């Protein structure tokens, strides 16, 4: 229990100065509660990746001791890491949550989407996601996006209005003033909400360490069969790798992000504890996306273009 | 002083988590070197990583530029890169051993005043850039006025391009004196002037060897040490109720908590509180800080308050200490910045969001519009267009507990929303005065201006 006896003058060592993690946590909780107060059918995008895991943790704290008043939605590319799917299902079960799944494989099987020659399914997620938002009539969709990830995301609002086609128009964004978030939307439109907007990769890891949050094992160093493509270590698997001329080898690696296996690379690492991971990231000279995401390298505005189409 | 950006060894988890957070905004005219300053802060604090720099180098080469254009780091949208200008506020993140920073990088163009307002609304500090060769110009005054209007607690005047005036103390001193006099008159509480060269790196992160006459902090040292905590003793405590938490489970059959982020001041267990606008009074029975009971909580913590009596409290209500309740009113007078393309007119029916409460409202009068260039007032303009700053009178459908923006940047602020399409129209600051403790006299107008 925190007990502070007196209110002191404003000083650098004031007991009333929040640590940066407390300030970020408080802001994110405020955002979750605003959405709970103003929307009818919110949903949290939950991939089993560290950002969505932190989002869920914050939501659990925001409404404790009551249950989280949101359901979860996973866009399943069909190329998931098994450890992550297992984590996802276990988490849903443990907290008594409801999980919606939008499946890319279903769309491919039905002939609505076509497999790309490079086997990457990340861009194929947009249609299942946006159709699920429409069919379930979700009006607020929480995403774990952070502004430090990418320069187009640096321009993203915390509350980001999407039209009935889920499109983002960066030139028609609402100014966001103080903490007065504007969630007004017409029927058919929805709002993407990013409670971790002001967090960096390091903040996320420090928060995971402070709160003792459990993560899927692939975030820590482990031996794995990988092969090299476009300067990244990709996991061999049924999704279509390796191809001719690509050779599999066993390496000590870990993942900095979790996404579709076809475009999410592992990094060489011997960090097996949270502290080692934090030390490694603090010293890294590469951004998380630069190190591990092939799809962002496609063009200078790859992220902006995908976001315009409805990607989160 | 030594630079704090290159720790000899990696910091421990404890060292990294103990740091505080400073939110600041930059403002500067087009060619004052703002991008260079931002680029240097990011670069010298090792916040630009290899792949980002490579992307910038690659894009710069594609444009036929010899050297990497650091502005490409911050101009993230296609339209911005195509036009070579910054359209929208971008948020940047960097850290030193002492502190983490959120930088609202705001465009300098006159027509983007609304973006500086957006960036400054959450800022603890604003950096106003001036070109040492040009001194204080209209745009500098405009930025000072917006910082004063938004009541940003700390303002840094960065006198840039000192290398182009032979690092002369006299040049810096004259600009610092003129700006300080002007900004103080507007009511800016704290001004720190720093002579820099963003291009050469003088006094940005490392102390300059070219200006030994300057004994103050570098820009980064100042950012690292400026106080960000709040003087709670002189704050009115305010909690806008966001959400009522009622588990209704076997374990918590009677739990009824009022969740919200404390907007100002502090709350204690046992304190008498009043619910506004109803006016009912009770006591704080308990405070939950995200699942953990505490005796006291303060801004900006997100908490859940438990009350002794089972009285009617819902989202939109404001909890305040009974001995320090703000007046409630349906007639709002405020200074506003219009942020939408569609004009704001007398008779406009709008929604007003204040704290967690959204009410119907009508614009009754627009008594004046401010010309930022010379701070003169244009009486009864009839309407405000995008980027205009003016005075408005608004009638609300329900009474609101309003603080003056001068007393509380959170509970004295509101936004106006278009009920038809949800557009955010206007940023509002409640109260009589602009910022100045005394009326500021305009040379050409004996009436002065009553912002």
């Amino acid at each position: 229990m925190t007990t502070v006896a007196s209110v002191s003058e404003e000083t650098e060592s004031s007991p009333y100065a929040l640590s940066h993690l407390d300030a970020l946590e408080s802001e994110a909780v405020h955002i979750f509660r605003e959405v709970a107060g103003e929307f009818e059918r919110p949903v949290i995008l939950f991939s089993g990746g560290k950002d969505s895991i932190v989002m869920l943790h914050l939501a659990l704290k925001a409404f404790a001791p009551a249950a989280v008043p949101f359901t979860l939605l996973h866009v399943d590319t069909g190329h998931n890491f098994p450890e992550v799917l297992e984590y996802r299902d276990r988490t849903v079960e443990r907290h008594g949550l409801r999980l919606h799944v939008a499946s890319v494989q279903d769309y491919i099987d039905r002939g609505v989407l076509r497999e790309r020659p490079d086997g990457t399914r990340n861009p194929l997620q947009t249609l299942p996601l946006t159709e699920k938002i429409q069919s379930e009539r979700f009006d607020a969709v929480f995403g774990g996006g952070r502004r430090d990830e990418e320069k187009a995301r640096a321009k993203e609002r915390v509350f980001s209005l999407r039209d009935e086609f889920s499109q983002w128009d960066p030139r028609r964004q609402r100014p966001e003033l103080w903490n007065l978030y504007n969630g007004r939307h017409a029927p058919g439109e929805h709002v993407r909400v990013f409670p971790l907007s002001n967090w960096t990769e390091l903040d996320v890891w420090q928060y995971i360490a402070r709160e003792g949050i459990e993560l899927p094992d692939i975030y820590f160093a482990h031996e794995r069969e990988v092969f090299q493509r476009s300067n990244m270590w990709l996991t061999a698997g049924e999704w279509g790798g390796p191809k001719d001329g690509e050779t599999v080898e066993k390496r000590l690696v870990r993942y900095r992000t979790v996404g579709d296996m076809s475009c999410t690379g592992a990094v060489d690492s011997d960090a097996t504890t949270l502290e080692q991971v934090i030390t490694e990231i603090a010293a890294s000279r590469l951004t998380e996306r630069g190190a591990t995401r092939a799809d962002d390298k496609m063009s200078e505005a790859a992220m902006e273009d995908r976001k315009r189409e409805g990607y989160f | 002083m030594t630079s704090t950006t290159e720790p000899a060894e990696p910091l421990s988890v404890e060292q990294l988590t103990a740091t505080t957070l400073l939110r600041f905004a930059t403002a500067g005219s087009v060619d004052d070197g703002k991008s260079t300053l931002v680029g240097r802060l990011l670069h010298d604090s090792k916040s630009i990583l290899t792949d980002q720099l490579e992307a910038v180098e690659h894009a710069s080469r594609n444009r036929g530029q010899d050297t990497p254009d650091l502005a490409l780091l911050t101009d993230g949208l296609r339209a911005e890169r195509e036009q070579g200008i910054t359209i929208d506020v971008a948020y940047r993140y960097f850290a030193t051993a002492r502190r983490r920073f959120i930088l609202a990088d705001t465009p300098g163009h006159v027509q983007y005043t609304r973006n500086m307002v957006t960036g400054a609304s959450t800022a603890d500090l604003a950096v106003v850039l001036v070109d040492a060769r040009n001194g204080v110009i209209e745009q500098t005054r405009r930025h000072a006025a917006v910082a004063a209007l938004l009541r940003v607690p700390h303002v840094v005047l960065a006198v840039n391009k000192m290398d182009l005036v032979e690092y002369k103390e006299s040049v810096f001193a004259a600009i610092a004196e003129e700006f300080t006099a002007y900004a103080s008159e507007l009511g800016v509480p704290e001004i720190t002037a720093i002579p820099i060269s963003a291009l050469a790196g003088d006094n940005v992160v490392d102390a300059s060897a070219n200006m030994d006459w300057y004994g103050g902090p570098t820009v980064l040292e100042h950012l690292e040490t400026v106080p960000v905590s709040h003087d709670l003793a002189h704050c009115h405590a305010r909690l806008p109720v966001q959400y009522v938490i009622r588990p209704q489970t076997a374990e918590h059959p009677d739990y009824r908590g009022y969740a919200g982020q404390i907007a100002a001041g502090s709350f204690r267990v046992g304190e008498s509180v009043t619910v506004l606008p109803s006016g009912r009074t009770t006591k704080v029975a308990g405070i939950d800080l995200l699942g953990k009971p505490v005796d006291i909580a303060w801004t900006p913590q997100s908490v859940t308050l438990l009350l002794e009596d089972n009285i009617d409290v819902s989202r939109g209500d404001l909890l305040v200490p009974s001995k320090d309740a703000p007046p409630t009113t349906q007639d709002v007078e405020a200074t506003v910045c219009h942020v939408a393309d569609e004009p704001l007119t007398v008779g406009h029916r709008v929604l007003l969001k204040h704290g967690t409460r959204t009410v119907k409202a009508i614009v009754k009068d627009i008594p004046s519009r401010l010309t930022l260039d010379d701070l003169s007032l244009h009486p009864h303009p009839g309407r405000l267009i995008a980027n205009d700053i003016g005075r408005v009178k608004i009638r609300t459908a329900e009474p609101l507990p309003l603080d003056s923006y001068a007393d509380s940047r959170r509970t004295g602020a509101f936004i106006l929303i278009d009920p038809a399409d949800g557009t955010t129209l206007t940023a509002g600051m409640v109260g009589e005065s602009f910022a100045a403790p005394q009326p500021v006299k305009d040379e050409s107008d004996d009436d002065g201006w009553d912002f």
Side-chain angles (χ1 to χ4, degrees), chain A residues 14-182:
Chain A
S14 164
Y16 297 97
L18 297 193
S19 76
H20 81 279
L21 284 183
D22 284 331
L24 292 172
E25 178 186 59
S26 177
E27 179 181 72
V29 164
H30 175 256
I31 292 161
F32 277 110
R33 289 167 168 177
E34 278 300 280
V35 170
E38 296 219 322
F39 291 82
E40 296 292 325
R41 289 179 64 80
V43 69
I44 300 177
L45 288 174
F46 188 79
S47 65
K50 65 181 187 312
D51 298 313
S52 56
I53 290 170
V54 165
M55 276 207 296
L56 180 59
H57 182 86
L58 287 161
L60 288 162
K61 285 185 97 167
F63 301 100
V68 173
F70 312 123
T71 55
L72 303 184
L73 168 60
H74 182 217
V75 183
D76 184 343
T77 63
H79 290 162
N80 297 290
F81 294 94
E83 303 93 321
V84 177
L85 282 187
E86 188 270 329
Y87 180 99
R88 177 195 80 181
D89 294 338
R90 192 156 39 87
T91 304
V92 166
E93 174 87 33
R94 173 151 63 119
H95 299 296
L97 297 163
R98 184 169 165 217
L99 175 75
H100 306 268
V101 177
S103 163
V104 173
Q105 189 64 54
D106 278 358
Y107 278 72
I108 292 171
D109 292 346
R110 285 192 279 126
V112 182
L113 287 175
R114 194 180 303 164
E115 194 90 72
R116 294 159 50 100
D118 61 3
T120 295
R121 287 187 171 182
N122 222 18
L124 304 184
Q125 291 182 70
T126 302
L127 187 68
L129 168 67
T130 55
E131 288 200 352
K132 187 60 114 180
I133 290 169
Q134 294 301 324
S135 67
E136 293 287 338
R137 292 177 290 108
F138 293 130
D139 54 1
V141 181
F142 288 104
R146 309 187 318 262
R147 289 177 181 144
D148 80 318
E149 284 179 81
E150 210 278 336
K151 56 188 181 299
R153 281 208 168 143
K155 303 263 167 178
E156 178 85 80
R157 303 289 189 251
V158 174
F159 274 41
S160 178
L161 184 68
R162 304 298 174 103
D163 67 12
E164 58 190 309
F165 302 101
S166 292
Q167 295 177 117
W168 182 61
D169 184 350
R171 303 197 85 162
R172 296 188 60 82
Q173 297 197 87
R174 293 170 177 165
E176 216 151 63
L177 299 138
W178 298 286
N179 60 350
L180 296 170
Y181 301 108
N182 177 359

Side-chain angles (χ1 to χ4, degrees), chain B residues 103-374:
Chain B
L103 159 59
D105 187 12
T106 71
H109 288 252
V110 180
Q111 65 266 39
Y112 300 122
T113 300
R114 58 183 166 190
N115 288 326
M116 188 184 163
V117 169
T118 301
S121 71
T122 52
D124 302 307
L125 179 148
V127 178
V128 176
L129 242 83
V130 167
D131 185 328
R133 296 169 302 175
N134 304 330
V136 175
I137 57 172
E138 274 179 21
Q139 187 75 332
T140 318
R141 285 193 283 271
R142 190 174 293 122
H143 292 146
V146 173
L149 179 72
L150 272 289
R151 294 194 169 263
V152 180
H154 309 275
V155 170
V156 171
L157 172 74
V159 181
N160 191 23
K161 307 196 183 181
M162 286 298 293
D163 51 321
L164 300 182
V165 295
E166 296 161 37
Y167 296 107
K168 274 189 201 151
E169 182 176 11
S170 57
V171 175
F172 168 73
I175 296 169
E177 190 180 31
E178 183 182 355
F179 181 85
T180 304
Y182 181 81
S184 304
E185 228 178 343
L186 288 171
V188 174
E190 192 198 273
I191 301 145
T192 305
I194 305 175
I196 67 167
S197 167
L199 197 65
D202 295 283
N203 289 338
V204 177
V205 171
D206 299 311
S208 170
N210 298 310
M211 291 178 276
D212 48 15
W213 46 263
Y214 174 74
T218 66
V219 173
L220 187 64
E221 279 164 7
H222 184 67
L223 294 174
E224 284 181 318
T225 53
V226 72
V228 286
S229 56
H230 303 270
D231 185 1
L232 298 176
H234 303 99
C235 271
H236 309 286
R238 302 287 184 255
L239 180 76
V241 176
Q242 276 190 290
Y243 194 77
V244 183
I245 294 178
R246 287 202 304 140
Q248 294 177 293
T249 56
E251 199 186 342
H252 301 281
D254 302 318
Y255 188 101
R256 193 181 173 88
Y258 303 99
Q261 186 174 28
I262 298 176
S266 60
F267 285 88
R268 289 165 193 276
V269 173
E271 189 172 18
S272 283
V273 289
T274 296
V275 183
L276 295 174
S278 77
R280 289 196 179 85
T281 291
T282 181
K283 278 190 173 152
V284 177
I287 303 174
D288 279 354
L289 180 61
L290 305 183
K292 186 180 63 183
V294 293
D295 292 339
I296 178 173
W298 59 90
T299 181
Q301 289 177 330
S302 279
V303 296
T304 307
L305 250 55
L306 304 163
L307 302 179
E308 276 189 4
D309 304 298
N310 202 357
I311 57 175
D312 180 22
V313 184
S314 57
R315 176 174 167 84
D317 287 344
L318 187 70
L319 291 174
V320 301
S322 300
K323 60 181 179 347
D324 178 27
T328 59
T329 179
Q330 287 178 258
D331 292 294
V332 184
E333 291 193 37
T335 302
V336 301
C337 176
H338 191 61
V339 296
D341 291 331
E342 179 197 353
L344 187 75
T345 54
V346 175
H348 213 125
R349 286 179 186 276
V350 294
L351 295 169
L352 186 153
K353 184 172 185 184
H354 170 256
T356 52
R357 194 177 191 85
T358 304
V359 299
K360 287 182 182 173
I362 184 165
V363 178
K364 299 298 272 187
D365 192 15
I366 303 178
S368 58
R369 187 186 73 220
L370 177 72
T371 307
L372 271 174
D373 296 348
D374 61 358

Side-chain angles (χ1 to χ4, degrees), chain B residues 141 144-146 148-149 151 182-188 335 368-379 389-391 432-451:
Chain B
R141 285 193 283 271
V146 173
L149 179 72
R151 294 194 169 263
Y182 181 81
S184 304
E185 228 178 343
L186 288 171
V188 174
T335 302
S368 58
R369 187 186 73 220
L370 177 72
T371 307
L372 271 174
D373 296 348
D374 61 358
L375 297 175
S376 65
L377 281 180
H378 183 293
I389 288 172
R391 293 282 299 169
E432 283 301 314
S433 83
F434 179 87
Q438 298 125 23
V440 177
K441 290 287 176 195
D442 192 277
E443 286 166 19
S444 60
D445 182 358
D446 281 341
D447 296 327
W449 46 285
D450 61 355
F451 262 89

